[in-house]
């Protein structure tokens, strides 16, 4: 361990977990990334199953990524202006019930085709808000001395969640 003015600095692959709140942030990242990719997978699968139209399937992905293209700068301003923890929590509080409703509609085969596009648009907006807020929140949480470790762990959660979300959606 390296000493600092506040005491010894934790080291190692899991050093960021010594910071209060990081473990919870990391776990919610896993859940968010997994559920996001499961939502995209299920939505494209259902649109393909119902229509067999490659263009309509591709539009699902376009609608998901449109907020990133059109709203990235705005989401960055939101991240800079508002409390990041509340912003992340707020987008999850909107998306959790929307996902529950969509899940019920899909499971009962009552989801109209248009609802998949609205749903992935909401998930896309949540994605851009989360992307701009979560990365900076992690820095705020762990500080500059642990940011490299924390970002590496966040990247692991991102790609692990993507993998598990796509697999569970399938």
């Amino acid at each position: 361990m390296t000493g600092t003015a506040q005491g010894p600095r934790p080291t190692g692959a899991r050093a960021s977990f010594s910071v209060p709140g990081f473990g919870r942030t990391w776990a919610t990242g896993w859940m968010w990334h997994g559920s996001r990719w499961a939502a995209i997978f299920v939505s494209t699968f259902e649109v393909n199953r119902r229509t067999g139209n490659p263009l309509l399937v591709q539009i699902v992905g376009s609608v998901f990524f449109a907020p990133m293209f059109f709203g990235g700068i705005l989401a960055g301003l939101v991240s800079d202006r508002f409390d990041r923890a509340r912003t992340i929590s707020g987008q999850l509080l909107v998306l959790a019930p929307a996902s529950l409703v969509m899940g019920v509609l899909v499971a009962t085969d009552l989801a109209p085709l248009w609802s998949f596009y609205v749903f992935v648009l909401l998930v896309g907006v949540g994605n851009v808000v989360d992307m701009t807020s979560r990365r900076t929140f992690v820095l705020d949480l762990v500080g500059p001395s642990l940011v490299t470790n924390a970002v590496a762990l966040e990247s692991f959660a991102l790609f692990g969640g993507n993998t598990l979300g796509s697999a569970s959606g399938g």
Side-chain angles (χ1 to χ4, degrees), residues 2 4 6 8-11 15-16 19 139 142-150:
T2 307
T4 65
Q6 293 93 14
R9 181 180 152 228
T11 59
S16 295
V19 175
L139 170 62
V142 302
S145 66
L146 289 174
V147 72
T148 303
N149 175 258

Side-chain angles (χ1 to χ4, degrees), residues 11 17 20 36 38 40 42-43 50 78 87 131-133 138 151 168:
T11 59
F17 287 106
R36 176 187 60 190
I40 298 307
V42 169
S43 296
R50 293 170 183 216
V78 167
T87 302
M131 186 173 288
T132 56
S133 296
V138 166
V151 169
S168 67

Side-chain angles (χ1 to χ4, degrees), residues 40-56:
I40 298 307
F41 182 91
V42 169
S43 296
T44 55
F45 176 84
E46 280 295 310
V47 169
N48 185 55
R49 183 181 72 83
R50 293 170 183 216
T51 70
N53 185 323
L55 177 61
L56 293 177

Side-chain angles (χ1 to χ4, degrees), residues 29-30 33-34 36-37 135 151-166:
W30 268 93
H33 299 306
R36 176 187 60 190
W37 286 107
R135 304 310 173 279
V151 169
L153 290 167
E154 268 295 307
S155 295
F156 181 74
L158 172 91
F159 292 109
N162 290 355
T163 301
L164 292 178
S166 297

Side-chain angles (χ1 to χ4, degrees), residues 83-95:
D83 180 84
R84 293 177 184 107
R86 288 183 186 205
T87 302
I88 294 166
S89 297
Q91 65 99 8
L92 293 174
L93 287 173
V94 169
L95 287 170

Side-chain angles (χ1 to χ4, degrees), residues 68-147:
M68 183 68 69
F69 181 73
F70 293 109
I73 293 172
L74 179 61
L77 293 172
V78 167
S79 173
D80 287 342
R81 180 158 290 200
F82 298 102
D83 180 84
R84 293 177 184 107
R86 288 183 186 205
T87 302
I88 294 166
S89 297
Q91 65 99 8
L92 293 174
L93 287 173
V94 169
L95 287 170
S99 298
L100 181 63
V101 168
M102 196 63 187
V104 169
L105 290 173
V106 169
T108 58
D109 209 24
L110 295 174
L113 188 63
W114 60 265
S115 67
F116 293 100
Y117 298 105
V118 172
F119 179 59
V120 296
L121 180 63
L122 281 173
V123 173
V125 169
N127 184 48
V128 71
V129 168
D130 184 82
M131 186 173 288
T132 56
S133 296
R134 183 177 297 273
R135 304 310 173 279
T136 313
F137 177 68
V138 166
L139 170 62
D140 295 344
L141 190 62
V142 302
S145 66
L146 289 174
V147 72

